[in-house]
Amino acid sequence: MTTDHDALPVEEAVRAVRTSSRRKQVLDAAVQVMQRTGFHQMSMQALADEAGVSVGLIYKYFGGKEEILLATIVSILDTFRDQIEPAMEAAGDDPVERLAGIRRYIEIVDENLDATVLTYRESRTLDTAGRARIKELEVETSAPLRSALDDGISAGIMEPIDVDLMVFDILLLAHGWALKHWHFGSIYTLDDYIRLQTRLVLNTTLKAERRGEYAHFLR
């Protein structure tokens, strides 16, 4: 027998799923509209038409265009943060195997090409608080890369490189698949791009005498 007390959590869960689905629907539409018109020219009516909802429903979930832009960028960064660390941890304790988890990073970029480009193009439009939030998420996203590099250096496998600089070089290599997809997409498959960029990173970071141990990445 189901009591009113039991039904309440179920109803709340259903509402939460519906809200999450509606928000994603609007954010996905926002990416498409902003790709065509830019943030400043995007109208709420155009967004509503793209999403297949009413303007009123959009305002039910978002306070305005600026909030939609921030939510769109945060959504893609959340995806990186939530998926990169598990992918790298699944590789085990070897810091080189973990660092090769940049494969998943580039795969996520490929799954979100328009949103990744939008993050670069429109993030400067955000207010101070919004930009601070984006910077915070970028640091969180890059933490597993930093950890793998630090561990590789400590273990004597990698050269004592500037970890901060290397981390952001890796992020730029990953984002480059979206930012220059018009060029790279016509030359390489996604797998080729990942393989070549992974080889570049490991040839840069690995000590020469340790490269033979990771020939499967360096071919």
Side-chain angles (χ1 to χ4, degrees):
M1 179 178 179
T2 302
T3 66
D4 291 341
H5 179 74
D6 294 327
L8 185 58
V10 174
E11 292 173 359
E12 290 176 348
V14 170
R15 282 197 295 271
V17 170
R18 185 181 296 118
T19 296
S20 176
S21 177
R22 285 295 196 186
R23 283 176 59 88
K24 185 178 186 305
Q25 183 178 348
V26 172
L27 295 180
D28 288 346
V31 170
Q32 298 306 312
V33 176
M34 282 189 274
Q35 278 292 101
R36 293 196 300 265
T37 69
F39 169 73
H40 294 289
Q41 282 69 46
M42 180 180 72
S43 71
M44 297 301 275
Q45 186 59 60
L47 175 56
D49 292 343
E50 181 75 25
V53 300
S54 68
V55 172
L57 187 139
I58 294 176
Y59 279 113
K60 178 180 178 181
Y61 298 120
F62 301 99
K65 286 172 55 175
E66 290 77 11
E67 189 174 325
I68 291 170
L69 174 60
L70 177 59
T72 301
I73 296 174
V74 166
S75 177
I76 180 63
L77 291 175
D78 280 343
T79 300
F80 287 131
R81 183 194 60 193
D82 296 342
Q83 294 190 30
I84 297 304
E85 186 170 7
M88 293 180 67
E89 287 182 349
D93 295 329
D94 189 311
V96 178
E97 296 284 348
R98 280 159 47 207
L99 189 60
I102 60 177
R103 162 173 287 278
R104 184 58 193 142
Y105 200 111
I106 301 175
E107 288 173 343
I108 296 171
V109 169
D110 182 65
E111 294 162 8
N112 299 272
L113 291 173
D114 290 342
T116 302
V117 173
L118 183 71
T119 298
Y120 273 86
R121 193 179 71 192
E122 302 291 357
S123 58
R124 64 183 181 276
T125 304
L126 298 170
D127 61 17
T128 302
R131 290 195 298 273
R133 176 61 177 147
I134 297 307
K135 292 175 183 177
E136 177 185 331
L137 281 171
E138 286 185 346
V139 170
E140 291 178 15
T141 298
S142 66
L145 296 173
R146 294 176 189 277
S147 178
L149 290 168
D150 283 335
D151 290 349
I153 293 169
S154 296
I157 300 172
M158 298 181 188
E159 298 285 356
I161 56 174
D162 185 322
V163 171
D164 188 62
L165 182 60
M166 192 69 231
V167 164
F168 283 100
D169 282 346
I170 293 171
L171 296 184
L172 287 171
L173 290 175
H175 295 163
W177 179 246
L179 296 173
K180 299 299 180 183
H181 192 263
W182 60 269
H183 177 69
F184 292 130
S186 65
I187 300 175
Y188 305 117
T189 65
L190 173 63
D191 193 64
D192 286 339
Y193 185 85
I194 292 171
R195 177 174 50 81
L196 291 170
Q197 297 294 31
T198 301
R199 186 173 69 183
L200 174 64
V201 169
L202 294 183
N203 273 325
T204 302
T205 56
L206 283 174
K207 288 188 173 180
E209 63 269 23
R210 304 300 297 266
R211 291 177 186 170
E213 302 168 41
Y214 302 98
H216 53 297
F217 289 128
L218 300 176
R219 293 191 185 96

